[in-house]
Amino acid sequence: MTARRARAFLSTLRKVERHLGVPVPARVKILRELEFDLEELRGRLEAEGLCPEEARARALEALVPDPGTLTELGELYTPRYRRLTGHLDQDVVRVLERSTLAIMAAGLLAAGALALSRADLFRDPSPFLWAVLALGGISIFLAAGEGFALWVKRDHQLSRGGPRLILALAGVTLGLGLFGALLDAYQLVATTGGAAAFMLPESFESFEWFARQAGLLTASLVLALAGGLAWFVLTQWLTLVSGARLDVLGLDPTATRQQEVR
């Protein structure tokens, strides 16, 4: 059996996919099973003596679901979260979702701030530390929102800008921490009489200067790494799911990279 013959039902799969309103992982599974069943039935009918065209037509007639069945499949695969919240006003649901995610992000950020405070890094913090923590909180909120949409709400929009924004914020967070530390060092050099004086231990106002920079750099590095990890996990999942969809539909990834799944 040739590769072309093995994918003889691609046009049918694409038509079914356009009317199959289920999350993408489930959609890919359904389409793969449908194609396998179509090929198996067609092969069996051909073995019984039917010509390839007649065998293909009978397989399509017997196995391809009608619009009503596709609607029932969509209802069957409706995520549990949507079933629980479907009877509520969607504006209220969105407010509750965002409030919950904001509280979670604030809680995680507060836990990190508590760890810094226990290390006595908030006694004389750098002014840049508060901006770093604010950016980190936004990154956590966005990452939690993207994860919630993908794995709880089962939102099947594969073209998403959230992960890219998370990565950009991670870069800004790290850059801001480095810039703040360098600016503090420059100001210290300027006030202590130059680089030679800067190298003297007595010019550092004891250990507090080091602690202030350590707190800033630690917070920016940890938050940037967390944002980078969130970006990696989200993009990897989206890439795998999108690739599986394109593969089952026989589509060219370069031609559909900018398209959204309807």
Side-chain angles (χ1 to χ4, degrees), residues 26 29 51 57 81 83 88 113 141-142 144 171 197 251-252:
K29 180 181 178 182
C51 66
Y81 176 82
R83 294 180 183 177
L88 301 176
F141 175 79
L142 290 175
L251 298 176
D252 182 5

Side-chain angles (χ1 to χ4, degrees), residues 210-251:
F210 289 107
R212 182 165 62 248
Q213 305 316 310
L216 175 61
L217 293 174
T218 299
S220 62
L221 181 60
V222 169
L223 291 172
L225 287 175
L229 179 61
W231 167 82
F232 178 78
V233 172
L234 291 168
T235 53
Q236 282 296 106
W237 191 89
L238 290 170
T239 299
L240 289 174
V241 172
S242 179
R245 172 184 172 268
L246 295 177
D247 179 67
V248 76
L249 295 177
L251 298 176

